[in-house]
Amino acid sequence: MDLDRSARDAQRVLADNDVDGRYTRPAAGLYPHQWSWDSAITAIGWAHVAPGRAWTELQTLFAAQWRDGRIPHIVYHRPECGTYFPDAGRWRTAGLTAAHAVATSGIVQPPVHASAALRVWEVSARGDADRAAITDLYPRLLRWHAYLHEHRSDGRGGVLIWHPWESGTDNSPRWDRPLAAVRADPRPIYERADLVHVDAGVRPTDADYDRYVRLLDRLADDAYDDATIRVHHPFRVTDVLTTAILVASDRALGRIADIVEAPTIERDLLAAWVARGEAAVTTARDDATALYVDHDHLADAPIVSRTFAGLAGLVAGIDPQLDTLTGPDFCGAPGLAFPLPPSTSPDAAGFTPRSYWRGPIWPVAVWLLTQALERVGHPDVAARLRSTALDAVGAAGMAEYLDPFTGAPLGAPRQSWTAAVVLDWVASQRAQT
Ligand code: 9WN
C-alpha cells in the first residue's frame, strides 16, 4: 500500500469538496450542503492537513446549533446550491423559536463531535490557537450532549431517535420493522434528487423514501418539539449505536473538560453520563447473537438484526467483541473481497451487497471500529483492520461505500469522510512504524 499516494488522493478530495474554506460538502452532486457527523469526521482529515481548517469546520457547524442545544443534521449555508431533496424549505424550521437564523434540518445525527474535537486536538500542535478553539467549542459540545441526555433519553440511558436518518445508517435492516409500521398512504408528494447522481440499486427504495418523507413531515408538524414527539410519533426507537457513540463522546468530552479546566461539577456530570450510557449499552446485549440491539418503543420489543451496529459494545468501549468482529457475520464472512466488516452480515435477513447500509462496507464505519479497538486496548487488531481498509479504499478510490464481495466502489465516488478516515489511518500507520 502506497501511503503517500493515499494521503495525496485524500487531500485532493477534501480540497475539491471544500466550500469557501468554511465547511466541506460530503460529496459533489449527491450531498451539496454541510452534514453534521460528516463534518465532524472530516475535521479530523483536515487536522492532518491544516489544523486551523479543522477547527473552522467544527466552528461553522456549531454556529448552526439550535438554542435547545441540538446540532441539526444538515446546514443549508447556500440553500440554492445543487439539487438535494429534502431542500431547506421542506423542514419548515425557518421562524421556529428554537432554530438558528441559518437554514437547517430539524433532526440530528450520531454525536461523534466531541470524539472528533479531541482527535483534532491530539493531532494539532496544541498551541495557543488550538487551545482557544477547543476552549470555545467545549461549552457548545456540552450543550449538545445535554440536549441528547435531556430531550432524547429513553429513561434508561439510551438515546431515542425519531427518524432513520438520525441513525446515520438510513436504510439499515434494523429499521425495517419499525419503518414498515409507518403509514405512507396516501404517498407524500416529493421528488427524489439522489437518483440523478447515482444508480437506484445502490440507494434506499421509493417505499423507504415515502416513509422518510412522511416522518419528516410529521416532525415538522410537531415543530420538532421532543416532548410532543415522544408521545405520538410513529417512529420511536432507542438506537444502540448512537447510544454507544454518545458514551465514547461523553468520555472524550471528559478529557476535553480536563484540557480546558472546566468546573468539577461539569466533569462529574460527564462521568455520570458515561456510567449511565455504559449501563444502557450493557443491558442492550442480546445473548443469542452476542450483539447489542436497538429497541422499538411502539412494538415494545428489541430489534434483533445482524448489522455492524451490533458492535455497539466495542464502540462504547465496554466489550471488545473480537470474536464477533472477526467471525462469520463480519470480517470472516465467506466470499469477502477484503476481511472488513460489511454494514449488514451477508447471512442476515435484509442483506443486499450493493444497497447502501444493507451490506456494503462503509470506510467510515470501519474507522469507528478501528478507533474503538485502539481505545479498548487492541491496537494490533486495529492496525490489521486499518491496513486492510487502506488497501480496499486505495483500490476503489475515495468512494462512499464498497461492494463487500468485489470491492467495487459504490455511491459517491469522492466522499469527504472517506478521505478523512484515510488521512487518519495513514497517520496512525506512519506513527506505528
Ligand atoms: C440523509 C451525507 C449523509 C450521511 C448519512 C448517509 C447519507 C443522507 C442521504 O448521507 O444520508 O441524511 O441523503 O442519504 O446515510 O450517514 O451523513 O454523507
Side-chain angles (χ1 to χ4, degrees):
M1 148 203 9
D2 183 342
L3 293 183
D4 290 336
R5 213 194 90 196
S6 292
R8 260 197 322 274
D9 290 352
Q11 282 192 37
R12 216 168 297 131
V13 170
L14 290 191
D16 290 350
N17 286 336
D18 179 51
V19 184
D20 302 336
R22 293 178 58 227
Y23 66 95
T24 316
R25 59 184 175 198
L30 196 56
Y31 309 117
H33 307 291
Q34 184 176 30
W35 261 258
S36 168
W37 76 321
D38 296 66
S39 247
I41 290 166
T42 302
I44 297 172
W46 281 117
H48 293 289
V49 182
R53 179 63 185 78
W55 294 122
T56 302
E57 184 80 28
L58 292 167
Q59 282 154 356
T60 306
L61 179 67
F62 274 78
Q65 182 164 32
W66 285 27
R67 277 195 282 277
D68 65 8
R70 86 183 68 189
I71 299 297
H73 104 294
I74 303 177
V75 187
Y76 297 84
H77 298 280
R78 295 186 187 172
E80 72 290 354
C81 266
T83 46
Y84 181 76
F85 176 83
D87 55 82
R90 185 78 185 207
W91 298 96
R92 289 182 273 148
T93 54
L96 279 184
T97 52
H100 191 271
V102 70
T104 73
S105 70
I107 60 170
V108 299
Q109 277 189 323
V112 289
H113 313 77
S115 297
L118 181 62
R119 181 80 183 128
V120 171
W121 167 258
E122 285 166 356
V123 170
S124 74
R126 300 173 213 183
D128 290 347
D130 302 308
R131 183 169 292 279
I134 201 161
T135 303
D136 177 63
L137 264 177
Y138 167 75
R140 300 162 196 255
L141 287 164
L142 192 63
R143 283 177 52 225
W144 164 222
H145 287 212
Y147 165 77
L148 293 168
H149 286 287
E150 285 163 18
H151 296 272
R152 296 303 192 96
S153 168
D154 66 1
R156 289 177 297 192
V159 180
L160 289 167
I161 60 165
W162 314 136
H163 196 296
W165 286 340
E166 296 204 301
S167 72
T169 63
D170 313 354
N171 70 336
S172 169
R174 60 198 179 117
W175 309 137
D176 285 358
R177 193 184 63 200
L179 205 56
V182 174
R183 288 197 47 202
D185 191 19
R187 287 192 62 198
I189 296 166
Y190 69 100
E191 212 169 304
R192 291 179 67 163
D194 53 333
L195 305 183
V196 174
H197 302 289
V198 288
D199 189 68
V202 305
R203 291 284 301 177
T205 62
D206 283 345
D208 286 334
Y209 255 82
D210 286 352
R211 287 168 176 79
Y212 298 157
V213 179
R214 171 70 69 228
L215 288 173
L216 183 173
D217 290 344
R218 293 277 306 249
L219 292 166
D221 289 345
D222 286 336
Y224 306 99
D225 176 48
D226 295 304
T228 309
I229 291 162
R230 70 164 62 230
V231 176
H232 72 165
H233 193 58
F235 185 94
R236 279 171 275 159
V237 166
T238 295
D239 177 343
V240 73
L241 182 61
T242 293
T243 304
I245 286 173
L246 184 57
V247 171
S249 264
D250 276 332
R251 228 182 263 125
L253 197 50
R255 295 269 317 280
I256 296 175
D258 291 340
I259 294 164
V260 305
E261 297 174 13
T264 312
I265 191 170
E266 290 174 5
R267 294 190 232 187
D268 291 348
L269 179 65
L270 284 161
W273 284 344
V274 170
R276 215 162 61 118
E278 284 182 349
V281 177
T282 303
T283 51
R285 187 172 191 276
D286 174 62
D287 291 335
T289 55
L291 292 170
Y292 293 80
V293 299
D294 309 294
H295 192 87
D296 179 356
H297 290 277
L298 273 106
D300 193 19
I303 305 170
V304 182
S305 170
R306 281 175 294 152
T307 75
F308 89 98
L311 298 166
L314 166 59
V315 174
I318 57 167
D319 174 5
Q321 295 187 273
L322 291 188
D323 290 344
T324 310
L325 174 65
T326 54
D329 275 326
F330 297 107
C331 298
L336 295 182
F338 295 91
L340 293 171
S343 46
T344 297
S345 163
D347 203 27
F351 170 82
T352 32
R354 295 168 61 84
S355 173
Y356 219 40
W357 293 98
R358 303 182 77 85
I361 293 162
W362 282 70
V364 70
V366 178
W367 177 84
L368 282 177
L369 302 178
T370 56
Q371 286 288 100
L373 285 163
E374 296 275 2
R375 285 196 301 264
V376 297
H378 289 284
D380 47 334
V381 187
R384 267 205 307 280
L385 211 56
R386 208 161 52 215
S387 141
T388 310
L390 280 169
D391 284 343
V393 179
M398 300 289 151
E400 190 181 7
Y401 43 102
L402 318 178
D403 183 316
F405 297 134
T406 64
L410 301 171
R414 289 159 61 74
Q415 183 84 7
S416 295
W417 64 7
T418 304
V421 303
V422 162
L423 284 164
D424 202 42
W425 281 329
V426 166
S428 300
Q429 291 294 91
R430 284 186 177 139
Q432 192 194 329
T433 50

